[in-house]
């Protein structure tokens, strides 16, 4: 935490509103991996320019997710479930994709162990809905087990040549 505080020149924590179960908004907590550096006009620099070297490593090891255990304790999240995304995506979901909000979001999920950020948004949502429709203890245990391997292998962390995942723009299918 001290190293992140120094690297990001401020709080080591990042808080952001995210929709959870039934689209109820909550504050997700993560370790902060980017600085708050701004350009001459006061706008934040692009993510790739703000991602610190330490932040890149913290993300590659998935340690930035550790503070979300507090969200689990509070009941906003589960260990396993669809990852909580941005609130501005809510109006972009089709009815099938919206099912991802029938359960609490998770620190890890079916989409994370089946491609993570290396798959399309549509594939992620298909995996999320599959999880929602097949949720059970044994599936959760399989996902947790596979997550351990994904973290150690550092696979599918970011899409090629980007610091963060590209924004979801919606789909034309229903």
């Amino acid at each position: 935490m001290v190293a992140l505080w120094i690297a990001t020149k401020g709080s080591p924590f990042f808080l952001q509103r995210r929709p959870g179960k039934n689209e109820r908004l909550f504050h997700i907590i993560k370790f902060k991996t980017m600085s708050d550096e701004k350009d001459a006009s006061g706008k934040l620099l692009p993510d790739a320019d703000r991602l610190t070297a330490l932040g890149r490593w913290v993300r590659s090891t998935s340690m930035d997710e550790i503070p979300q255990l507090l969200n689990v304790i509070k009941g906003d999240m589960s260990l396993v479930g669809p990852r909580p995304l941005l609130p501005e995506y809510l109006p972009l979901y089709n009815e099938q994709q919206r099912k991802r909000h029938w359960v609490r979001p998770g620190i890890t999920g079916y989409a994370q162990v089946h491609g993570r950020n290396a798959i399309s948004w549509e594939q992620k949502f298909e995996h999320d809905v599959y999880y929602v429709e097949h949720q059970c203890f044994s599936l959760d245990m399989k996902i947790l087990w596979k997550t351990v391997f994904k973290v150690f292998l550092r696979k599918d962390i970011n899409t090629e040549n980007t610091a963060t995942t590209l924004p979801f723009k919606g789909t034309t299918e229903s």
Side-chain angles (χ1 to χ4, degrees):
M1 280 190 343
V2 172
L4 284 171
W5 179 70
I6 293 167
T8 61
K9 300 176 181 135
S11 172
F13 298 106
F14 172 76
L15 296 169
Q16 189 176 51
R17 289 176 59 91
R18 301 280 179 97
K21 184 176 180 180
N22 300 320
E23 300 180 4
R24 185 183 67 77
L25 296 178
F26 70 97
H27 284 96
I28 194 171
I29 183 168
K30 297 176 83 167
F31 279 130
K32 189 175 181 181
T33 57
M34 291 192 273
S35 71
D36 293 324
E37 293 180 76
K38 297 178 178 157
D39 64 17
S41 65
K43 290 178 59 179
L44 284 173
L45 293 174
D47 291 350
D49 295 339
R50 296 185 302 121
L51 184 62
T52 66
L54 177 61
R56 186 174 288 106
W57 180 79
V58 167
R59 283 186 180 188
S60 75
T61 60
S62 295
M63 289 195 319
D64 59 323
E65 311 291 349
I66 292 172
Q68 290 173 58
L69 290 170
L70 294 171
N71 290 115
V72 172
I73 291 168
K74 285 178 50 185
D76 291 327
M77 292 179 67
S78 293
L79 291 177
V80 179
R83 288 291 300 150
L85 301 174
L86 299 172
E88 50 264 32
Y89 296 168
L90 288 171
L92 303 177
Y93 298 138
N94 63 35
E95 286 308 307
Q96 184 71 0
Q97 294 165 345
R98 193 170 300 286
K99 289 181 182 179
R100 66 188 317 280
H101 292 286
W102 289 2
V103 299
R104 283 188 292 171
I107 295 175
T108 188
Y110 195 78
Q112 283 61 50
V113 298
H114 290 91
R116 202 172 180 179
N117 290 334
I119 59 176
S120 70
W121 280 108
E122 287 73 17
Q123 290 171 305
K124 286 181 195 181
F125 294 140
E126 286 173 18
H127 289 319
D128 289 344
V129 172
Y130 175 87
Y131 174 79
V132 169
E133 293 175 344
H134 296 88
Q135 183 184 20
C136 65
F137 181 76
S138 64
L139 182 58
D140 284 358
M141 291 299 105
K142 287 177 189 171
I143 292 168
L144 287 170
W145 183 248
K146 286 182 176 186
T147 297
V148 171
F149 286 103
K150 288 282 186 177
V151 169
F152 283 117
L153 294 174
R154 298 183 187 182
K155 270 190 83 148
D156 308 325
I157 294 166
N158 283 315
T159 51
E160 197 172 320
N161 302 320
T162 62
T164 57
T165 303
L166 297 173
F168 175 58
K169 302 287 188 189
T171 54
T172 55
E173 307 167 14
S174 52

PDB file of all heavy atoms in Angstrom, residues 11-29:
ATOM      1  N   SER A  11      -3.729   8.518  -2.454  1.00  0.00           N
ATOM      2  CA  SER A  11      -4.341   7.341  -1.830  1.00  0.00           C
ATOM      3  C   SER A  11      -4.041   6.073  -2.631  1.00  0.00           C
ATOM      4  O   SER A  11      -4.103   6.086  -3.855  1.00  0.00           O
ATOM      5  CB  SER A  11      -5.858   7.522  -1.734  1.00  0.00           C
ATOM      6  OG  SER A  11      -6.463   6.316  -1.307  1.00  0.00           O
ATOM      7  N   PRO A  12      -3.743   4.968  -1.932  1.00  0.00           N
ATOM      8  CA  PRO A  12      -3.503   3.706  -2.646  1.00  0.00           C
ATOM      9  C   PRO A  12      -4.803   3.018  -3.075  1.00  0.00           C
ATOM     10  O   PRO A  12      -4.765   1.969  -3.695  1.00  0.00           O
ATOM     11  CB  PRO A  12      -2.749   2.865  -1.618  1.00  0.00           C
ATOM     12  CG  PRO A  12      -3.233   3.367  -0.301  1.00  0.00           C
ATOM     13  CD  PRO A  12      -3.495   4.847  -0.499  1.00  0.00           C
ATOM     14  N   PHE A  13      -5.939   3.626  -2.750  1.00  0.00           N
ATOM     15  CA  PHE A  13      -7.227   3.018  -3.068  1.00  0.00           C
ATOM     16  C   PHE A  13      -7.967   3.774  -4.165  1.00  0.00           C
ATOM     17  O   PHE A  13      -7.868   4.988  -4.276  1.00  0.00           O
ATOM     18  CB  PHE A  13      -8.121   2.937  -1.826  1.00  0.00           C
ATOM     19  CG  PHE A  13      -7.535   2.092  -0.742  1.00  0.00           C
ATOM     20  CD1 PHE A  13      -7.004   2.677   0.393  1.00  0.00           C
ATOM     21  CD2 PHE A  13      -7.500   0.712  -0.862  1.00  0.00           C
ATOM     22  CE1 PHE A  13      -6.447   1.903   1.390  1.00  0.00           C
ATOM     23  CE2 PHE A  13      -6.943  -0.076   0.131  1.00  0.00           C
ATOM     24  CZ  PHE A  13      -6.414   0.524   1.260  1.00  0.00           C
ATOM     25  N   PHE A  14      -8.701   3.023  -4.945  1.00  0.00           N
ATOM     26  CA  PHE A  14      -9.522   3.551  -6.032  1.00  0.00           C
ATOM     27  C   PHE A  14     -10.960   3.146  -5.718  1.00  0.00           C
ATOM     28  O   PHE A  14     -11.244   1.966  -5.531  1.00  0.00           O
ATOM     29  CB  PHE A  14      -9.052   2.932  -7.350  1.00  0.00           C
ATOM     30  CG  PHE A  14      -9.920   3.234  -8.532  1.00  0.00           C
ATOM     31  CD1 PHE A  14      -9.890   4.476  -9.153  1.00  0.00           C
ATOM     32  CD2 PHE A  14     -10.773   2.263  -9.041  1.00  0.00           C
ATOM     33  CE1 PHE A  14     -10.672   4.746 -10.252  1.00  0.00           C
ATOM     34  CE2 PHE A  14     -11.571   2.527 -10.142  1.00  0.00           C
ATOM     35  CZ  PHE A  14     -11.517   3.772 -10.743  1.00  0.00           C
ATOM     36  N   LEU A  15     -11.848   4.118  -5.634  1.00  0.00           N
ATOM     37  CA  LEU A  15     -13.275   3.862  -5.405  1.00  0.00           C
ATOM     38  C   LEU A  15     -14.054   4.285  -6.637  1.00  0.00           C
ATOM     39  O   LEU A  15     -13.780   5.342  -7.212  1.00  0.00           O
ATOM     40  CB  LEU A  15     -13.789   4.652  -4.201  1.00  0.00           C
ATOM     41  CG  LEU A  15     -13.204   4.302  -2.845  1.00  0.00           C
ATOM     42  CD1 LEU A  15     -13.600   5.332  -1.813  1.00  0.00           C
ATOM     43  CD2 LEU A  15     -13.650   2.925  -2.418  1.00  0.00           C
ATOM     44  N   GLN A  16     -15.020   3.462  -7.014  1.00  0.00           N
ATOM     45  CA  GLN A  16     -15.839   3.797  -8.184  1.00  0.00           C
ATOM     46  C   GLN A  16     -17.210   3.159  -8.024  1.00  0.00           C
ATOM     47  O   GLN A  16     -17.329   2.046  -7.537  1.00  0.00           O
ATOM     48  CB  GLN A  16     -15.161   3.287  -9.456  1.00  0.00           C
ATOM     49  CG  GLN A  16     -15.811   3.770 -10.729  1.00  0.00           C
ATOM     50  CD  GLN A  16     -15.028   3.309 -11.945  1.00  0.00           C
ATOM     51  OE1 GLN A  16     -14.721   2.131 -12.080  1.00  0.00           O
ATOM     52  NE2 GLN A  16     -14.718   4.241 -12.843  1.00  0.00           N
ATOM     53  N   ARG A  17     -18.239   3.882  -8.460  1.00  0.00           N
ATOM     54  CA  ARG A  17     -19.596   3.330  -8.411  1.00  0.00           C
ATOM     55  C   ARG A  17     -19.750   2.286  -9.509  1.00  0.00           C
ATOM     56  O   ARG A  17     -19.323   2.518 -10.645  1.00  0.00           O
ATOM     57  CB  ARG A  17     -20.629   4.440  -8.566  1.00  0.00           C
ATOM     58  CG  ARG A  17     -20.682   5.332  -7.325  1.00  0.00           C
ATOM     59  CD  ARG A  17     -21.612   6.496  -7.470  1.00  0.00           C
ATOM     60  NE  ARG A  17     -22.978   6.151  -7.751  1.00  0.00           N
ATOM     61  CZ  ARG A  17     -23.923   5.943  -6.826  1.00  0.00           C
ATOM     62  NH1 ARG A  17     -23.627   6.054  -5.563  1.00  0.00           N
ATOM     63  NH2 ARG A  17     -25.154   5.655  -7.174  1.00  0.00           N
ATOM     64  N   ARG A  18     -20.354   1.154  -9.157  1.00  0.00           N
ATOM     65  CA  ARG A  18     -20.607   0.072 -10.097  1.00  0.00           C
ATOM     66  C   ARG A  18     -21.972  -0.522  -9.800  1.00  0.00           C
ATOM     67  O   ARG A  18     -22.408  -0.541  -8.649  1.00  0.00           O
ATOM     68  CB  ARG A  18     -19.546  -1.034  -9.964  1.00  0.00           C
ATOM     69  CG  ARG A  18     -18.099  -0.608 -10.198  1.00  0.00           C
ATOM     70  CD  ARG A  18     -17.782  -0.518 -11.675  1.00  0.00           C
ATOM     71  NE  ARG A  18     -16.418  -0.088 -11.926  1.00  0.00           N
ATOM     72  CZ  ARG A  18     -15.408  -0.890 -12.186  1.00  0.00           C
ATOM     73  NH1 ARG A  18     -15.576  -2.196 -12.229  1.00  0.00           N
ATOM     74  NH2 ARG A  18     -14.207  -0.402 -12.410  1.00  0.00           N
ATOM     75  N   PRO A  19     -22.657  -1.021 -10.816  1.00  0.00           N
ATOM     76  CA  PRO A  19     -23.940  -1.684 -10.566  1.00  0.00           C
ATOM     77  C   PRO A  19     -23.731  -3.119 -10.094  1.00  0.00           C
ATOM     78  O   PRO A  19     -22.896  -3.842 -10.635  1.00  0.00           O
ATOM     79  CB  PRO A  19     -24.633  -1.645 -11.927  1.00  0.00           C
ATOM     80  CG  PRO A  19     -23.541  -1.508 -12.923  1.00  0.00           C
ATOM     81  CD  PRO A  19     -22.384  -0.845 -12.230  1.00  0.00           C
ATOM     82  N   GLY A  20     -24.501  -3.493  -9.081  1.00  0.00           N
ATOM     83  CA  GLY A  20     -24.443  -4.847  -8.558  1.00  0.00           C
ATOM     84  C   GLY A  20     -25.724  -5.602  -8.857  1.00  0.00           C
ATOM     85  O   GLY A  20     -26.358  -5.395  -9.900  1.00  0.00           O
ATOM     86  N   LYS A  21     -26.104  -6.449  -7.916  1.00  0.00           N
ATOM     87  CA  LYS A  21     -27.315  -7.241  -8.086  1.00  0.00           C
ATOM     88  C   LYS A  21     -28.514  -6.312  -8.248  1.00  0.00           C
ATOM     89  O   LYS A  21     -28.649  -5.315  -7.538  1.00  0.00           O
ATOM     90  CB  LYS A  21     -27.521  -8.168  -6.882  1.00  0.00           C
ATOM     91  CG  LYS A  21     -28.703  -9.081  -7.038  1.00  0.00           C
ATOM     92  CD  LYS A  21     -28.814 -10.052  -5.887  1.00  0.00           C
ATOM     93  CE  LYS A  21     -30.038 -10.932  -6.116  1.00  0.00           C
ATOM     94  NZ  LYS A  21     -30.200 -11.906  -5.036  1.00  0.00           N
ATOM     95  N   ASN A  22     -29.372  -6.646  -9.198  1.00  0.00           N
ATOM     96  CA  ASN A  22     -30.560  -5.847  -9.524  1.00  0.00           C
ATOM     97  C   ASN A  22     -30.206  -4.414  -9.919  1.00  0.00           C
ATOM     98  O   ASN A  22     -31.002  -3.500  -9.733  1.00  0.00           O
ATOM     99  CB  ASN A  22     -31.567  -5.865  -8.368  1.00  0.00           C
ATOM    100  CG  ASN A  22     -32.032  -7.267  -8.057  1.00  0.00           C
ATOM    101  OD1 ASN A  22     -32.272  -8.067  -8.960  1.00  0.00           O
ATOM    102  ND2 ASN A  22     -32.126  -7.592  -6.778  1.00  0.00           N
ATOM    103  N   GLU A  23     -28.978  -4.239 -10.435  1.00  0.00           N
ATOM    104  CA  GLU A  23     -28.472  -2.951 -10.926  1.00  0.00           C
ATOM    105  C   GLU A  23     -28.341  -1.892  -9.834  1.00  0.00           C
ATOM    106  O   GLU A  23     -28.217  -0.708 -10.113  1.00  0.00           O
ATOM    107  CB  GLU A  23     -29.325  -2.434 -12.098  1.00  0.00           C
ATOM    108  CG  GLU A  23     -29.325  -3.396 -13.278  1.00  0.00           C
ATOM    109  CD  GLU A  23     -30.142  -2.926 -14.462  1.00  0.00           C
ATOM    110  OE1 GLU A  23     -30.687  -1.802 -14.437  1.00  0.00           O
ATOM    111  OE2 GLU A  23     -30.219  -3.694 -15.449  1.00  0.00           O
ATOM    112  N   ARG A  24     -28.328  -2.314  -8.560  1.00  0.00           N
ATOM    113  CA  ARG A  24     -28.150  -1.382  -7.447  1.00  0.00           C
ATOM    114  C   ARG A  24     -26.690  -0.938  -7.414  1.00  0.00           C
ATOM    115  O   ARG A  24     -25.779  -1.753  -7.456  1.00  0.00           O
ATOM    116  CB  ARG A  24     -28.519  -2.056  -6.119  1.00  0.00           C
ATOM    117  CG  ARG A  24     -28.477  -1.107  -4.926  1.00  0.00           C
ATOM    118  CD  ARG A  24     -28.774  -1.811  -3.616  1.00  0.00           C
ATOM    119  NE  ARG A  24     -27.750  -2.768  -3.222  1.00  0.00           N
ATOM    120  CZ  ARG A  24     -26.562  -2.454  -2.689  1.00  0.00           C
ATOM    121  NH1 ARG A  24     -26.241  -1.185  -2.504  1.00  0.00           N
ATOM    122  NH2 ARG A  24     -25.698  -3.390  -2.352  1.00  0.00           N
ATOM    123  N   LEU A  25     -26.465   0.365  -7.370  1.00  0.00           N
ATOM    124  CA  LEU A  25     -25.107   0.911  -7.387  1.00  0.00           C
ATOM    125  C   LEU A  25     -24.434   0.795  -6.017  1.00  0.00           C
ATOM    126  O   LEU A  25     -25.087   0.950  -4.988  1.00  0.00           O
ATOM    127  CB  LEU A  25     -25.122   2.367  -7.831  1.00  0.00           C
ATOM    128  CG  LEU A  25     -25.593   2.621  -9.265  1.00  0.00           C
ATOM    129  CD1 LEU A  25     -25.601   4.125  -9.563  1.00  0.00           C
ATOM    130  CD2 LEU A  25     -24.740   1.889 -10.276  1.00  0.00           C
ATOM    131  N   PHE A  26     -23.154   0.490  -6.035  1.00  0.00           N
ATOM    132  CA  PHE A  26     -22.335   0.433  -4.831  1.00  0.00           C
ATOM    133  C   PHE A  26     -20.943   0.950  -5.201  1.00  0.00           C
ATOM    134  O   PHE A  26     -20.634   1.142  -6.370  1.00  0.00           O
ATOM    135  CB  PHE A  26     -22.273  -1.005  -4.274  1.00  0.00           C
ATOM    136  CG  PHE A  26     -21.477  -1.958  -5.118  1.00  0.00           C
ATOM    137  CD1 PHE A  26     -20.153  -2.243  -4.812  1.00  0.00           C
ATOM    138  CD2 PHE A  26     -22.040  -2.573  -6.241  1.00  0.00           C
ATOM    139  CE1 PHE A  26     -19.414  -3.121  -5.598  1.00  0.00           C
ATOM    140  CE2 PHE A  26     -21.305  -3.449  -7.031  1.00  0.00           C
ATOM    141  CZ  PHE A  26     -19.983  -3.721  -6.708  1.00  0.00           C
ATOM    142  N   HIS A  27     -20.115   1.184  -4.203  1.00  0.00           N
ATOM    143  CA  HIS A  27     -18.741   1.632  -4.447  1.00  0.00           C
ATOM    144  C   HIS A  27     -17.802   0.440  -4.379  1.00  0.00           C
ATOM    145  O   HIS A  27     -17.680  -0.201  -3.330  1.00  0.00           O
ATOM    146  CB  HIS A  27     -18.305   2.681  -3.419  1.00  0.00           C
ATOM    147  CG  HIS A  27     -18.877   4.018  -3.676  1.00  0.00           C
ATOM    148  ND1 HIS A  27     -20.018   4.481  -3.068  1.00  0.00           N
ATOM    149  CD2 HIS A  27     -18.472   5.004  -4.517  1.00  0.00           C
ATOM    150  CE1 HIS A  27     -20.292   5.688  -3.508  1.00  0.00           C
ATOM    151  NE2 HIS A  27     -19.369   6.037  -4.386  1.00  0.00           N
ATOM    152  N   ILE A  28     -17.151   0.162  -5.497  1.00  0.00           N
ATOM    153  CA  ILE A  28     -16.147  -0.896  -5.541  1.00  0.00           C
ATOM    154  C   ILE A  28     -14.833  -0.297  -5.060  1.00  0.00           C
ATOM    155  O   ILE A  28     -14.560   0.884  -5.299  1.00  0.00           O
ATOM    156  CB  ILE A  28     -16.015  -1.480  -6.969  1.00  0.00           C
ATOM    157  CG1 ILE A  28     -15.243  -2.802  -6.947  1.00  0.00           C
ATOM    158  CG2 ILE A  28     -15.375  -0.505  -7.920  1.00  0.00           C
ATOM    159  CD1 ILE A  28     -15.273  -3.531  -8.283  1.00  0.00           C
ATOM    160  N   ILE A  29     -14.044  -1.092  -4.349  1.00  0.00           N
ATOM    161  CA  ILE A  29     -12.741  -0.626  -3.876  1.00  0.00           C
ATOM    162  C   ILE A  29     -11.658  -1.524  -4.463  1.00  0.00           C
ATOM    163  O   ILE A  29     -11.787  -2.742  -4.470  1.00  0.00           O
ATOM    164  CB  ILE A  29     -12.670  -0.587  -2.327  1.00  0.00           C
ATOM    165  CG1 ILE A  29     -11.331  -0.038  -1.868  1.00  0.00           C
ATOM    166  CG2 ILE A  29     -12.970  -1.938  -1.722  1.00  0.00           C
ATOM    167  CD1 ILE A  29     -11.281   0.305  -0.398  1.00  0.00           C
TER     168      ILE A  29
END
